[in-house]
Amino acid sequence: MQLRRFSVPVFAAVLLAAAAQAQARAPSLEECRAEIEKQPANPVAYYCVYRSVLANGRMDEAAALLRRSFDENPGVFRIEMFIAWIDRMRGVPGSDDLLREAIDGMEATGDAHGVVYGGLELAFRLGEGGEFDDAKALLERCAQAARKTGDPAMEARVWIGQASLAMWYADYSGWLHLTRRAERVVFPDGPYDLKCAVLDNLGAAWWYLCNYDKAFEAFERAAEIRAQANDLWGQARSVYNMALSAANLVSDGEMEIGEYRRLLERGRDLAVESGNFNAEPSMTLLLGGQRSGAEALSLFDRALETARRHAVTQAEV
């Protein structure tokens, strides 16, 4: 059974998804079209389409709308970035190449914010693929762009990206140092999504350094922030991370087994309610490990069926 993979959102698309899910109501595609018609040269207007896709689907229509918009506004490379993101969600080949083009275009036209968002997203995928040198070089471009924005929060986003690169190198002290650096900028009044990312990374770094108390505390703070934002999907992720830390606290005699089991039930219920199909099978597996006989087998079967139905690979029996 493979369970010990943290859910740590560190890069742009994932962070923007968390921010969008925390909103009371995402816009419809028709509302986005009207917004774009008002200000077609404003790169921020096209984020509306991405938010709409996250909440409402209709990815093919959204991609078609963005492609028409890019044909009409070829100098707004932020549009191409969103096309690449949505193509990635749709499984369209070549989305990474399209994102590279968008990053180059945004850099050439002075869209520093776009370079940071797009560059962090691509750096994540490069790192996942083991292309660490390319990821490092791209993160340096992101750092230069972030400094141009004059916004400390944008620099903090890049530090979180660099922290994740340190994680891939198994440099856990560097991971922690960069994340703490971002924490000092982001709290108490920074962007919601970035505060969550900092706490998720802090918790994971402390966990790998075997400081389970501090890991649990960081993940719990993230869960509280997400609860305040009514982000049930993100809460489920936070509670899953809390559960991984809690398992060690139980083993060390620092948490009662009853508290741990209630935490598992809470995480499973949040995952089901919010449709977080990444967290649900893992939480169900952990819960099954606290049961016996037919009840345990039923939970294991349910976890496996959910994982297969939604192509979740991190929860394996």
Side-chain angles (χ1 to χ4, degrees):
M1 185 186 303
Q2 179 183 329
L3 287 171
R4 290 183 175 178
R5 282 187 59 181
F6 287 99
S7 182
V8 182
V10 291
F11 291 100
V14 180
L15 297 178
L16 289 170
Q21 288 157 347
Q23 302 297 322
R25 186 188 72 84
S28 70
L29 206 55
E30 288 71 26
E31 289 172 317
C32 293
R33 186 179 289 108
E35 182 69 20
I36 289 168
E37 288 174 356
K38 291 179 189 174
Q39 42 184 348
N42 182 359
V44 179
Y46 298 92
Y47 175 47
C48 177
V49 177
Y50 185 65
R51 282 189 57 211
S52 180
V53 164
L54 290 172
N56 306 315
R58 300 176 65 183
M59 286 187 284
D60 291 346
E61 293 175 71
L65 170 60
L66 289 172
R67 288 185 188 282
R68 285 195 301 273
S69 298
F70 191 49
D71 287 342
E72 295 167 1
N73 303 275
V76 184
F77 288 94
R78 190 90 65 99
I79 306 173
E80 192 175 33
M81 179 185 78
F82 288 126
I83 295 170
W85 284 3
I86 293 173
D87 278 359
R88 174 81 173 182
M89 294 166 68
R90 296 192 301 159
V92 175
S95 62
D96 283 357
D97 290 337
L98 193 64
L99 185 53
R100 284 188 181 91
E101 289 180 12
I103 293 165
D104 290 344
M106 289 185 290
E107 196 170 50
T109 55
D111 183 0
H113 286 83
V115 172
V116 174
Y117 287 126
L120 288 174
E121 170 73 11
L122 184 56
F124 173 62
R125 295 212 278 274
L126 291 170
E128 275 195 322
E131 299 176 62
F132 300 133
D133 289 343
D134 289 343
K136 184 177 180 179
L138 185 51
L139 286 169
E140 181 52 41
R141 290 171 66 188
C142 291
Q144 293 172 8
R147 287 191 289 271
K148 289 178 181 177
T149 69
D151 182 354
M154 295 302 290
E155 292 193 74
R157 290 185 188 278
V158 178
W159 297 337
I160 290 294
Q162 291 169 333
S164 295
L165 185 64
M167 174 193 69
W168 286 319
Y169 279 118
D171 177 9
Y172 300 132
S173 61
W175 181 13
L176 183 61
H177 168 74
L178 285 161
T179 305
R180 294 300 294 269
R181 184 182 182 190
E183 181 186 25
R184 290 191 290 272
V185 169
V186 171
F187 285 90
D189 300 319
Y192 161 79
D193 65 308
L194 192 50
K195 287 194 286 189
C196 291
V198 165
L199 291 171
D200 287 340
N201 273 273
L202 272 181
W206 282 126
W207 191 93
Y208 278 105
L209 291 169
C210 300
N211 194 324
Y212 304 119
D213 270 336
K214 287 188 175 180
F216 186 88
E217 179 185 353
F219 291 138
E220 188 173 37
R221 286 175 64 197
E224 290 169 355
I225 289 173
R226 288 178 166 121
Q228 291 167 5
N230 197 32
D231 180 0
L232 297 182
W233 195 94
Q235 266 186 272
R237 177 174 57 230
S238 292
V239 175
Y240 167 64
N241 289 340
M242 288 167 65
L244 293 184
S245 302
N248 291 283
L249 294 175
V250 170
S251 297
D252 294 342
E254 297 179 22
M255 179 180 285
E256 295 294 330
I257 189 68
E259 182 180 354
Y260 175 56
R261 288 172 176 167
R262 287 190 294 274
L263 183 66
L264 296 180
E265 290 171 353
R266 174 189 168 198
R268 189 270 315 274
D269 292 346
L270 278 167
V272 171
E273 182 180 358
S274 66
N276 187 330
F277 301 118
N278 290 303
E280 182 184 344
S282 296
M283 293 301 300
T284 305
L285 278 177
L286 288 170
L287 194 57
Q290 296 299 310
R291 302 291 189 262
S292 60
E295 185 180 7
L297 289 174
S298 175
L299 287 166
F300 291 150
D301 286 343
R302 188 184 310 165
L304 186 59
E305 191 276 329
T306 303
R308 285 175 172 168
R309 179 163 22 104
H310 298 285
V312 178
T313 58
Q314 82 236 34
E316 301 172 358
V317 177

